[in-house]
Amino acid sequence: MRWKSRSAAVVAAALLMTGAATTAVYASAEPGGPDGDASSVEPFTGVAACAFDTNGRRVWVFAGNWDGVGGDGVGIVRDTGSGLAWYLRNSLTTGKADIVFNYGASGDWPVVGDWDGVGGDGIGITRPAGNAANEIQWQLRNAPGGGAADTKFNYGRHGYFPVTGDWDGVGGDGVGVAGGDANGNKAWHLRNSASGGAANYDFLFGLTGNGDVPVTGDWDGVGGDGPGVVRKSGILDWHLRNANNNGPTDHRFSYGQATTDCFLSGDWDGAGGEGPGAVRYSGGVLQWHLRNTSSAGADNYTFVYGPPA
């Protein structure tokens, strides 16, 4: 349900809904703007992090507990140019989407979380609020499907990464943002509920100069989500912290390839706690590589799902 050094990463010609196209992978992000390679930048100012791009259309990869049963499934969100199309699958296997719907406008940034605390993840979008405070607007739905927003509010500064998680471990996900401060640190501002208001947690974790990009999850399986960043150094270098405060890395390991992979986290086995995932575009398909624990090692799940057809 959770949801990247700069590097070119162009993948070979592929077939994605509209036919053959040269596909670039945007598995990383760094403040600034596109510079002619496959770099990506902060939300709303350019290409999204953890997404692939085909014919100028983004395809995000996600994890979420869509049916409210067991662990997380996987999902793909595609910007069609006229809106966001969602393709969600409950199991970690090859097959067709179990849930397909449209939600959000072209250019929106998709998010996932358990907004109402009932269990099972809903979906949502974020976009610039367009107000004088330069805020991010959140429009969330409790269920994975199209329709009107159940919750709509402003939280966070435009240009920061939107993040979601169960920050207090009580149940239900809150919202947050993470972005660079004046000293080159990654500043996190998290709120326990899916609503506007003051942050419940303000702290620093990660750096901006080397392209650290936020990821969140329950890394120790104790309950409650903590922050993390993924850094590119030939491989995907994960730096994770269990608590939402200033402090050192609790878990550091390598998982995934820096030049080809997008990353995500999820509770893949339903046992509680979250592990890493890496999604690779190869041979015209998306290859998913998932691991149950926050550590280096062999894949626990490998399968093909997507691109959407």
Side-chain angles (χ1 to χ4, degrees), residues 31 42-45 109 126-138 153-163 175-191 195-199 202 204 208 214:
E42 301 286 350
F44 316 124
T45 62
W109 176 285
T126 59
R127 62 175 58 146
N131 57 11
N134 201 31
E135 293 177 309
I136 298 172
Q137 182 183 96
W138 300 66
F153 58 91
N154 294 341
Y155 183 79
R157 190 172 75 187
H158 168 69
Y160 276 34
F161 279 94
V163 293
V175 297
V177 293
D181 70 0
N183 298 314
N185 300 302
K186 191 71 71 176
W188 297 68
H189 309 278
L190 310 179
R191 182 164 168 80
S195 63
D202 294 287
L204 303 176
T208 57

Side-chain angles (χ1 to χ4, degrees), residues 16 52 59-64 66 73-78 85-101 264 278-282 284-290 301-309:
L16 183 71
F52 299 88
V59 177
W60 291 266
V61 292
F62 277 99
W66 316 123
V74 294
I76 302 167
V77 181
R78 184 169 192 260
W86 299 66
Y87 304 82
L88 310 181
R89 182 164 172 80
N90 292 323
S91 63
L92 305 177
T93 58
T94 300
K96 295 181 179 179
D98 295 300
I99 308 170
V100 179
F101 59 93
L264 71 168
V279 183
R280 187 169 304 151
Y281 192 97
S282 179
V285 298
L286 295 181
Q287 299 176 351
W288 298 68
H289 303 266
L290 311 178
Y301 307 89
T302 305
F303 58 94
V304 171
Y305 178 65

Side-chain angles (χ1 to χ4, degrees), residues 63 71-74 92 264-270 273 275-277 290-292 301:
D72 288 339
V74 294
L92 305 177
L264 71 168
S265 65
D267 178 8
W268 312 121
D269 58 4
L290 311 178
R291 183 165 168 77
N292 289 328
Y301 307 89

Side-chain angles (χ1 to χ4, degrees), residues 26 31 37 51 88 137 158 167 197 222 231 237 302 304:
Y26 294 91
D37 63 11
L88 310 181
Q137 182 183 96
H158 168 69
W167 315 126
V222 174
R231 184 176 302 164
D237 186 12
T302 305
V304 171

Side-chain angles (χ1 to χ4, degrees), residues 51-251:
F52 299 88
D53 185 77
T54 297
N55 284 342
R57 301 300 180 199
R58 301 173 195 170
V59 177
W60 291 266
V61 292
F62 277 99
N65 189 345
W66 316 123
D67 58 5
V69 178
D72 288 339
V74 294
I76 302 167
V77 181
R78 184 169 192 260
D79 189 332
T80 67
S82 58
L84 300 185
W86 299 66
Y87 304 82
L88 310 181
R89 182 164 172 80
N90 292 323
S91 63
L92 305 177
T93 58
T94 300
K96 295 181 179 179
D98 295 300
I99 308 170
V100 179
F101 59 93
N102 296 323
Y103 186 77
S106 181
D108 288 347
W109 176 285
V111 291
V112 170
D114 179 7
W115 315 124
D116 58 7
V118 174
D121 288 326
I123 53 93
I125 58 92
T126 59
R127 62 175 58 146
N131 57 11
N134 201 31
E135 293 177 309
I136 298 172
Q137 182 183 96
W138 300 66
Q139 297 188 22
L140 310 179
R141 275 188 58 77
N142 294 329
D150 293 302
T151 309
K152 183 177 177 180
F153 58 91
N154 294 341
Y155 183 79
R157 190 172 75 187
H158 168 69
Y160 276 34
F161 279 94
V163 293
T164 66
D166 181 7
W167 315 126
D168 57 7
V170 174
D173 286 338
V175 297
V177 293
D181 70 0
N183 298 314
N185 300 302
K186 191 71 71 176
W188 297 68
H189 309 278
L190 310 179
R191 182 164 168 80
N192 288 328
S193 62
S195 63
N200 296 108
Y201 308 89
D202 294 287
F203 60 92
L204 303 176
F205 186 74
L207 304 172
T208 57
N210 56 9
D212 288 0
V213 174
V215 63
T216 65
D218 180 6
W219 312 123
D220 57 5
V222 174
D225 290 330
V229 294
V230 178
R231 184 176 302 164
K232 295 179 69 173
S233 56
I235 42 76
L236 296 181
D237 186 12
W238 297 66
H239 299 249
L240 311 178
R241 181 163 171 77
N242 296 326
N244 292 310
N245 51 34
N246 295 333
T249 295
D250 293 305
H251 313 268

